Amino acid sequence: MTLVTIHIATGTVGLVTFWIPVGGRKGGANHRRFGRIFINTLLATGITAVGIATTTLLDPLATHPHLVEHAVFSDPLMVRAIFGWLMLYLATLTVNLAWHGRLALRHRKNHRATGTRTNNLLQIALLVASTTCLMQGYWVQQPMMMGLSVVGFATVATNYWFIFKPEPNPYDFIKEHIKSLVGAGISVYTAFFAFGAVRLMPELALTPGLWAVPLITGLTLIIYHQYAVTRKYQMRSVVAK
């Protein structure tokens, strides 16, 4: 119960503060202040989600007693898959992106320094979590789980692409920062929409549209802000010439 309470509290703060850095003036005092709050709360949210998912994997029906008589989730295998393995995957994805996004900004002058031991361990953890999500989705015949696992594989690939990029542009760290933290925020929103309605309507956790809306919104925000950053620095370069 303690884990759930902390998870809900930090997740709520993260959901609200997400929009202040995204919608506000970049680099300003509010952006930095609420950005730090956002990252820290997301790390706490992700870590507590790991604990919640682990308890579900150990004892699925005792952790979710309200699902005992549900048509689909009375099967412990399904509870473990959706509220155990899938939640564990999303939690790992959230922590990975939040931490990587923080490092991209901290090591703006040396992108290789982003490849710390902790960050490398997080890439391995996400790779394992993504593979497990893919396999578990196949075993319970849930295409949604298999599809979402692709995000994790793509995250590891793009994180390493940034870390080992031979000659990054001077603004690449900003684009990586945006990708990671917007991605982390959308990961939390996805879990909120999907798992938050479990007690009222558990079947919503299996509704593709509920997972697609945050994902599409996040990708749109990432593409827009990365384009804006690229355009801004390219115009500066033209003016300087």
Side-chain angles (χ1 to χ4, degrees):
M1 192 63 184
T2 302
L3 281 176
V4 175
T5 302
I6 297 172
H7 179 73
I8 292 173
T10 56
T12 301
V13 174
L15 292 173
V16 174
T17 56
F18 170 75
W19 295 104
I20 298 174
V22 168
R25 186 171 68 86
K26 305 300 179 284
N30 283 335
H31 182 93
R32 295 194 300 272
R33 182 184 304 114
F34 286 101
R36 285 193 295 269
I37 294 172
F38 172 69
I39 292 173
N40 291 333
T41 53
L42 253 63
L43 289 173
T45 302
I47 291 169
T48 52
V50 170
I52 295 169
T54 301
T55 60
T56 298
L57 292 173
L58 293 173
D59 197 345
L61 294 183
T63 308
H64 300 274
H66 59 291
L67 299 177
V68 172
E69 297 181 2
H70 190 270
V72 175
F73 293 112
S74 58
D75 181 358
L77 191 64
M78 282 297 295
V79 177
R80 278 197 178 98
I82 302 298
F83 304 112
W85 294 117
L86 181 56
M87 178 176 274
L88 183 61
Y89 159 70
L90 287 173
T92 308
L93 177 64
T94 300
V95 173
N96 179 297
L97 285 167
W99 192 257
H100 183 74
R102 168 187 275 177
L103 292 182
L105 187 63
R106 178 180 296 174
H107 300 294
R108 59 174 70 88
K109 294 182 179 179
N110 178 17
H111 71 292
R112 289 288 180 89
T114 307
T116 62
R117 180 180 299 178
T118 300
N119 204 16
N120 276 299
L121 289 174
L122 286 174
Q123 305 315 312
I124 295 170
L126 182 55
L127 188 60
V128 172
S130 302
T131 303
T132 304
C133 185
L134 175 65
M135 294 171 61
Q136 290 292 329
Y138 175 77
W139 285 334
V140 298
Q141 291 300 292
Q142 282 296 322
M144 179 189 65
M145 288 181 67
M146 293 185 279
L148 284 172
S149 69
V150 175
V151 178
F153 294 123
T155 296
V156 174
T158 55
N159 285 355
Y160 274 130
W161 173 258
F162 171 75
I163 292 171
F164 294 111
K165 193 172 184 180
E167 297 180 8
N169 291 314
Y171 52 85
D172 276 353
F173 77 92
I174 303 178
K175 294 170 67 175
E176 191 70 8
H177 179 70
I178 292 169
K179 178 213 79 177
S180 297
L181 295 184
V182 171
I186 295 307
S187 177
V188 173
Y189 263 100
T190 301
F192 171 76
F193 281 126
F195 298 133
V198 168
R199 289 193 176 276
L200 297 176
M201 299 180 67
E203 57 275 8
L204 287 179
L206 303 177
T207 305
L210 208 60
W211 298 85
V213 171
L215 181 60
I216 293 171
T217 302
L219 287 174
T220 302
L221 286 171
I222 290 170
I223 292 169
Y224 168 76
H225 283 290
Q226 287 192 338
Y227 170 77
V229 168
T230 301
R231 180 177 172 80
K232 175 181 177 181
Y233 277 86
Q234 285 179 344
M235 289 181 66
R236 283 184 180 180
S237 178
V238 170
V239 171
K241 291 179 181 179

